[in-house]
Amino acid sequence: MRDRYMAYPLSVSPIFRLEDNGRSASPAQQQRAYLYRMNTSPGLLAGDSLEMSIRLDAGSSLYLADQAATKVHTMPVAGIDKATSASVHYHIEVGEAATLEFLPEPLILFGESALKQTTEITLYPTAALCWGEIILPGRLSRAEHYQFRECFSRIQLSSPDGRIWFIEAMKLLGKENRFAQSALFASAPVLGSLILVLPEARARANTLAALSHRIEALATDSLSLACTVLPDKRGLFVRAIATTTRAMQAGFKGAVGEVRSLRNHAPLPYSL
């Protein structure tokens, strides 16, 4: 890690070099960095604004994970001059022949909370990306279900010359959500999305079709998911719902494992 700047409450762990589960790996694959992102605060409160920037130089490879779930705390509506929401902003650059994998822990939306999250990712043609998001619409163990106000999430993928080739925006309502009690969302409340981008030279139609089939085969009684090809035909966009966080995370890690297998990379370490 060449440069690192941190300010409370965000921090990152030292680099881990994890073994390849007994399978052979090239020297380049063995140099993959594993980092944990840590937030030493209780979670997101009204008025909080977090910024995270990551830049991967050419040929680098990073797997980034969270230490724990992000709690979005209650933010009662107060006076007109007081903030009643929190925001998170990501700025990511993945250089030539670099690979970024980020499977965060869930966002937990407490009752009366509100969150805006924006993600801007610049990808070089030879870069690869696995980027996930998991949302819990409440503290499910406490039977808190869609009691938050709203959650807005926007992700944008661009080329180095500034050309935008994918935008996905979602506004999830809480208490005003007309579908929260529907059989579909009530039975599988954990929501997830996953973006899988291959290097341009590997993103062939038959490759994406095979990858989509293998990922959709990860569905279980606890997990439902579906894939669609990204507009620039560089990869897949995956939507998923699950009955438990564990089922969602297992599905996402399985999808990343399929991408690694396709690229002849070592599988995810068991410890993750």
Side-chain angles (χ1 to χ4, degrees), residues 121-125 156-167:
I121 303 177
T122 300
L123 281 168
Y124 281 72
Q156 173 182 301
L157 302 183
S158 304
S159 59
D161 60 5
R163 182 177 64 89
I164 299 172
W165 56 273
F166 177 68
I167 293 178

Side-chain angles (χ1 to χ4, degrees), residues 219-235:
T220 66
D221 291 341
S222 301
L223 173 70
S224 299
L225 46 77
C227 303
T228 186
V229 176
L230 291 171
D232 212 37
K233 297 179 174 58
R234 283 277 305 276

